[in-house]
Amino acid sequence: MSWTDERIEKLTKMWEGGATASQIADELGGVSRNAVIGKAHRLGLKARPSPVKPNDKDSAPAAPSAAKVAKTEAPPRAAPPPRPAPAAPAAPRPAAAAPAAAAPTTPSGTPQPRIVSVGPGGFLRQGPGDQQAPIPPAPPRRLVPAKPSPEMAEKTSLLELNDRICRWPMGHPGEPDFHFCGVAVNPGFPYCVEHCGRAYQAQLPRGHRRPPPPLPFGGPRVR
DNA sequence: CCCTGATTCGC
DNA sequence: GCGAATCAGG
């Protein structure tokens, strides 16, 4: 399989829509999860919360601890210069650092006392003694909750997809009511019977062609 | 174990 | 450019 424009576009949309590399991979077919990730990187569309990202390069890490270096490292590195550290002491903060998610960082500058940890939903756990803490940070961790409204309660979200339910997309990623068909699949296919009918159509002889079916994910609105 | 994305490196 | 192998956190 090669990366045609269509496949790249689908990859891009799904990636930006929050689909995982695995989901994208088997949606595209013929490629591995790794291929998807590799391609996404080459396309420059990284930037998605990775479970394995420190995202933290403190001041001089100094000695990266020799305890770990054992197998890699060393070949063509002539003179490994000390990590230049954050080379932006003078760099002025460009306006708002965190566009959307930045909310309540204790506006009044209240010295938050002994906060032990942050629980689910952003609630602060406190010791028994300090009860008067201001409960500042509102819960929202996702800007667009998976099921924000009652209307969505019965729609199938991306997170609920599995091999047994129809993954035909309804609407477009990013729209508030975007969801998946969710009906039981036609066994052996990724879609239900109805959507298999849309997805797989026999070629008719020339001159008898029907208009092409709308493509999942790329095409005009399907409903 | 499973999952995730990131990175490396031979092709 | 591609993607398997590998890494590393959850």
Side-chain angles (χ1 to χ4, degrees):
Chain A
M1 274 297 192
S2 62
W3 288 107
T4 62
D5 286 357
E6 287 78 25
R7 290 163 63 79
I8 290 177
E9 188 180 327
K10 195 168 180 180
L11 159 59
T12 304
K13 284 189 172 159
M14 290 184 73
W15 185 272
E16 287 173 349
T20 68
S22 303
Q23 289 166 338
I24 298 172
D26 59 44
E27 190 74 23
L28 287 172
V31 286
S32 68
R33 172 181 88 85
N34 277 324
V36 168
I37 292 174
K39 184 60 180 174
H41 284 190
R42 269 172 253 123
L43 287 172
L45 348 134
K46 194 169 29 243
R48 206 135 58 74
S50 147
V52 184
K53 262 253 253 309
N55 185 17
D56 209 15
K57 51 179 159 247
D58 263 75
S59 47
S65 132
K68 241 183 172 184
V69 185
K71 142 158 108 165
T72 12
E73 202 56 21
R77 286 277 177 274
R83 275 280 174 218
R93 274 247 177 267
T105 318
T106 315
S108 58
T110 310
Q112 311 220 347
R114 287 179 295 249
I115 278 144
V116 178
S117 63
V118 178
F123 291 105
L124 298 180
R125 293 196 179 97
Q126 315 169 32
D130 10 76
Q131 198 149 16
Q132 82 308 10
I135 352 172
R141 303 184 138 253
R142 318 184 72 129
L143 296 179
V144 181
K147 310 269 189 178
S149 60
E151 291 87 350
M152 289 303 287
E154 299 194 13
K155 309 283 175 77
T156 302
S157 84
L158 185 60
L159 299 178
E160 296 165 299
L161 288 182
N162 62 47
D163 292 337
R164 271 143 266 123
I165 66 178
C166 177
R167 46 180 77 227
W168 187 273
M170 313 289 276
H172 287 178
E175 290 178 356
D177 63 339
F178 175 66
H179 63 283
F180 295 87
C181 171
V183 170
V185 294
N186 186 8
F189 294 90
Y191 306 120
C192 66
V193 174
E194 179 194 342
H195 287 132
C196 275
R198 295 237 217 171
Y200 309 110
Q201 301 192 10
Q203 286 280 320
L204 296 174
R206 298 219 173 247
H208 299 249
R209 295 275 167 88
R210 329 190 55 152
L215 297 171
F217 268 113
R221 174 176 289 270
V222 175
R223 223 160 252 180

